[in-house]
Amino acid sequence: METSGVHRRCPALLAALCLGLGIVCSEFLAPPTWLWLTSAGIFWVVVLLLYLWGTAARIASWMLCISLFGLGGIRHHQDTRLLPANDIRQAHVYGSKGELTASLDHDPETLADGRRRVRVRAEILCADDGDCRELSGDVLLTVRPEVTQFTATAGDRLRILCRILKPQPARNPGEFDYRRFLAQRHDLHATASIYRNSDILEMSPGSDTPWQQHVIRPIRASLRSSFTAHLDGAPAALLVGMLLGDKHAIPASVASQFRATGLAHALVISGLHVGLIVIFLLTLMRVARVPDAIACSATVVLLVIYAFVTQMQAPVVRASLMAAIVLVGRAVELRGSVLNSLGLAALVLMVVQPTSLLTLSFQLSFAATLAIVTLHGPFMSLWPSHWLAETSRVGKWILVPATVSLAAQVGTLPLIVFHFQQLAPLSLLANLLVVPLLGLAVAQGLLLALVAPIVPAAAPMISGAIWLTLTGLMKIVAVFSALTPWQVAQPTPSEALSWMSLTALTIVAIYRPGLRRVSLLLALLTANVWIWHKVWDPAVLDIVFLDVGQGDAAFVRFPDGKTMIIDAGMRSRHIDMGERVVVPWLRRQGVEVVDVVVASHPHADHIGGLVSLLEQIKVRHFVDGGQNYDSWTSLRLRQLIERRQITYHAVRGGDSLAGLGGAGGLILHPTASFVDSSGLSTMGLNNGSVVFRLDYGERRVLFTGDIEHETDRSVTRWGSRLHADILKVAHHGSRTSSAAVFLDVVRPSVAVISVGAHNKFRHPASPVVTRLQAHADVRRTDQDGAIMIRISNTGQMRVSQQLTDDPGHRSVDKSRPSR
């Protein structure tokens, strides 16, 4: 990177930054179409006039940047909101069941559990009510293992019985957003499944293009057969994943070890693998004495074919595009900036698919490349000069790869921490050992693919070498994965942005000495804002009612930082909400110790997830109503409490909860008439639930477990002390709870119902919802996802939810004093 004139050397990079900023603003602010069009039109007119007059070139450059910003917003708006009427997102077909006519975009891929997935292009949907309509857009079709007659491949046409569904969004803060992932990375906005052979009404062969029929499909089949015919098990799965992008065959245990070591990028096809393939091809042609210009041109052609063979996966397209730009420049002997090539690749990708900018894959690829280009030189200058001599093996084989890996990790660190909340402290060393083996495996795999069809006798020798390489690679990963990665709290978007900004300022200071003082001042200012924001952050009580389906789970963080978990959802043979939702939530919050766990009552939809919680997270105190229940879950919890030396408390109505950092707690139920001294629940487990109230800043929050009508006389005796501003509705809003007499005493302003969507119990009951709505703003986890409540010490209360159609969370600010 040159020390001066960077903006002149990298116009494409600056253009990509402006365009990308417009895409980001369109995604998160969602301004109306007319605003984007008007702004861009005005700026383009101004830029044209300035250039025609030949004056104010600097102003014209700024106006051009602003115009590109507007164009980015327009392109994103066009791609995501200005849709044809028959587009799946506009056609109001979500939830519709009927006959879908579609064609396969790609060959199906087989998942680890035997299911198959394939992208199909929707054509016609005839709903059960007889309404037929044309559709546009792709659907992710899942074929269950029981469906044995599904034999379709790329290009074939189908007519099937299925239900069109909208992909599941993130239902808890920070959770993986499957809907956003499919939309941004794969441009998919609908899913469907077929469960039995009778769901297949018709299958007919399609008409592949000659390109697909005679070039792409034979090459893909030849590659796969070369790998699987001479290798099996994990090595074969790894090679297929690395070179063909089929990651689902990789054993789960192997995949988890790679992720724990910070080497997830080595598992599947990525920019790294494309780079290794380019090196292999150029090296092969150099050995064959092919002229450089012809070698570069041939490599570009082979990269295009390879992108089609891997079914145009986004990382391959992105890396191939950037490599092609560099290789074409080299072929025509055009000296250019790597940063400008990077910007041009980003620009093309964002114009073609604006949402690609918002994917983690795109961000990691470009952040790593940008960091390597800008930081590799400065990092290398830190080593002693005699280590960097051309004859030094230390510099060539150790320092250069280490510095490249270090630069990439610095650039991607904010993204890794934000999305995965973990740091692998030895990932730098692991990369030094694994990446050379990975390059060797890629070269050996390509060699096998070239040699096996021509000289079959040589294939066993090459496959044996591949087996040794990949087995050694997996053993190294297994050793490093034994060292548990550091779990860190998920930074806020502003914190991640601050880290990236500081990195950018450091780069500016390195290459522009004249701006070092300004960069240092901005860095110090950013650090001060972050530190003082933390210092002056007001004391608040945070409550999050997590969405755990048909069950209860709530997280409380008290003003002094102490934490409480109230229930943790269901655990069964098929699902564990503690493992899936509660423990990941705690890790994202950076919670290493839970101070208090409250188990309302020993039904599996409340305490099932507590098993995983107690197994994985340190807990100081465990509170319940003292009910005895002979179930595996209850017995397991008692074992864990004793084994992990957790302080246990069986509470009764009238007990107090102390030491909650300025918040108060009062136990209101159960009494001895509902749970006797032996732990017998005389009126049933639900009616023996722990009911308690938390108080903070003149606000009250009431947790009710699963109490039913039988408890009304007992709990309403508390009178005004039962009143609460926020009510966690009992028993998921069933008909046997939340009677009028109970609600008249509580008088909540916000009622939260923790309930699963489309549950078999038909919770919540309509009469109960109607009664609640007469008193309060009703929030439901089945409709709203997680419900977040923040209470300040002045009594202000903010209620927000995870799921909303608006760009930001729908919020309610209730600052009036408690009644």
Side-chain angles (χ1 to χ4, degrees), residues 110-124:
T110 302
L111 309 185
D113 59 2
R115 292 178 300 159
R116 284 167 288 173
R117 278 185 181 166
V118 63
R119 183 185 188 122
V120 299
R121 185 177 295 110
E123 298 174 1
I124 300 173

Side-chain angles (χ1 to χ4, degrees), residues 157-205:
R157 300 185 77 251
L158 292 172
R159 191 164 60 88
I160 56 175
L161 285 175
C162 64
R163 186 185 299 274
I164 304 294
L165 298 174
K166 198 170 187 177
Q168 187 69 246
R171 303 191 64 86
N172 294 289
E175 198 172 66
F176 175 68
D177 194 329
Y178 189 55
R179 179 183 296 175
R180 182 180 291 271
F181 169 77
L182 288 181
Q184 292 180 347
R185 181 163 181 175
H186 301 288
D187 197 24
L188 282 165
H189 305 276
T191 62
S193 298
I194 52 177
Y195 298 90
R196 55 193 70 85
N197 287 319
S198 58
D199 289 338
I200 303 174
L201 303 178
E202 184 180 349
M203 267 191 309
S204 57

Side-chain angles (χ1 to χ4, degrees), residues 552-556 558 563-569 582 594-603 606-610 613-614 619-626 637 641 646-651 657 660 665-667 669-670 688-694 703-705:
D552 273 18
F555 167 80
V556 181
F558 295 99
T563 55
M564 173 186 285
I565 289 288
I566 303 108
D567 293 333
V582 180
V594 174
D595 295 281
V596 184
V597 166
V598 179
S600 64
H601 67 292
H603 275 155
H606 289 253
I607 66 168
L610 291 178
L613 173 64
L614 266 61
V619 173
R620 299 191 195 278
H621 299 272
F622 190 96
V623 175
D624 68 11
L637 286 176
I641 290 168
I646 301 170
T647 304
Y648 171 74
H649 309 268
V651 294
L657 297 175
L660 301 180
L666 176 63
I667 305 296
H669 192 75
S689 294
V690 174
V691 177
F692 69 102
R693 195 190 74 210
L694 291 178
F703 294 87
T704 57

Side-chain angles (χ1 to χ4, degrees), residues 12-13 16 318 321-322 325-326 337-349 362 365-371 373:
L13 180 62
R318 183 165 53 250
L321 177 61
M322 184 178 172
I325 291 170
V326 174
S337 166
V338 176
L339 286 178
N340 203 49
S341 300
L342 179 67
L344 183 58
L347 199 62
V348 172
L349 288 168
F362 183 103
S365 296
F366 280 91
T369 306
L370 187 62
V373 173

Side-chain angles (χ1 to χ4, degrees), residues 466-793:
I466 296 174
W467 184 89
L468 287 173
T469 302
L470 291 177
T471 301
L473 187 150
M474 288 188 290
K475 287 188 179 297
I476 291 172
V477 171
V479 170
F480 280 99
S481 67
L483 302 171
T484 305
W486 296 341
Q487 296 292 334
V488 295
Q490 184 178 47
T492 63
S494 61
E495 289 172 342
L497 185 60
S498 296
W499 176 272
M500 297 177 74
S501 300
L502 288 174
T503 304
L505 288 173
T506 302
I507 295 172
V508 169
I510 291 171
Y511 288 100
R512 301 297 296 269
L515 296 178
R516 285 179 182 175
R517 292 183 179 180
V518 176
S519 299
L520 179 60
L521 179 63
L522 290 174
L524 291 173
L525 180 62
T526 303
N528 270 276
V529 169
W530 183 78
I531 291 171
W532 287 105
H533 171 72
K534 293 291 184 181
V535 170
W536 294 108
D537 204 21
V540 295
L541 176 72
D542 282 321
I543 303 172
V544 181
F545 294 94
L546 296 168
D547 182 4
V548 290
Q550 185 65 14
D552 273 18
F555 167 80
V556 181
R557 192 190 297 273
F558 295 99
D560 65 348
K562 289 180 179 173
T563 55
M564 173 186 285
I565 289 288
I566 303 108
D567 293 333
M570 171 67 73
R571 178 189 177 112
S572 67
R573 289 186 305 165
H574 307 291
I575 193 168
D576 180 353
M577 286 299 180
E579 177 74 29
R580 176 180 290 189
V581 176
V582 180
V583 171
W585 164 262
L586 293 172
R587 297 203 188 284
R588 286 195 296 271
Q589 298 301 305
V591 175
E592 297 179 357
V593 177
V594 174
D595 295 281
V596 184
V597 166
V598 179
S600 64
H601 67 292
H603 275 155
D605 60 331
H606 289 253
I607 66 168
L610 291 178
V611 173
S612 291
L613 173 64
L614 266 61
E615 288 175 341
Q616 300 182 46
I617 304 289
K618 182 179 179 181
V619 173
R620 299 191 195 278
H621 299 272
F622 190 96
V623 175
D624 68 11
Q627 298 182 86
N628 285 331
Y629 188 54
D630 188 17
S631 70
W632 179 90
T633 306
S634 290
L635 294 174
R636 178 60 178 160
L637 286 176
R638 291 175 204 161
Q639 292 171 357
L640 289 168
I641 290 168
E642 182 177 354
R643 181 182 305 168
R644 306 197 66 164
Q645 299 181 340
I646 301 170
T647 304
Y648 171 74
H649 309 268
V651 294
R652 289 289 183 272
D655 291 348
S656 295
L657 297 175
L660 301 180
L666 176 63
I667 305 296
L668 304 173
H669 192 75
T671 61
S673 59
F674 286 85
V675 180
D676 64 21
S677 58
S678 67
L680 178 64
S681 305
T682 56
M683 303 285 289
L685 294 176
N686 284 347
N687 289 315
S689 294
V690 174
V691 177
F692 69 102
R693 195 190 74 210
L694 291 178
D695 308 334
Y696 183 67
E698 298 184 355
R699 294 288 183 178
R700 293 176 171 182
V701 186
L702 185 64
F703 294 87
T704 57
D706 273 359
I707 58 171
E708 301 182 80
H709 292 332
E710 290 82 356
T711 66
D712 288 347
R713 183 186 297 272
S714 174
V715 296
T716 54
R717 287 175 181 171
W718 287 96
S720 61
R721 285 184 286 183
L722 190 62
H723 161 67
D725 302 279
I726 301 162
L727 170 66
K728 198 294 295 183
V729 176
H731 203 200
H732 322 291
S734 73
R735 292 180 180 273
T736 59
S737 64
S738 302
V741 63
F742 174 80
L743 295 177
D744 288 340
V745 177
V746 178
R747 295 180 296 127
S749 56
V750 176
V752 177
I753 305 176
S754 185
V755 63
H758 311 296
N759 64 86
K760 64 181 180 181
F761 308 103
R762 298 186 179 180
H763 293 158
S766 296
V768 173
V769 174
T770 302
R771 285 200 297 269
L772 288 167
Q773 289 173 337
H775 289 271
D777 173 22
V778 178
R779 304 292 180 103
R780 299 168 46 168
T781 57
D782 62 331
Q783 296 178 350
D784 304 324
I787 311 298
M788 291 78 75
I789 298 174
R790 170 163 287 191
I791 302 172
S792 71
N793 53 9

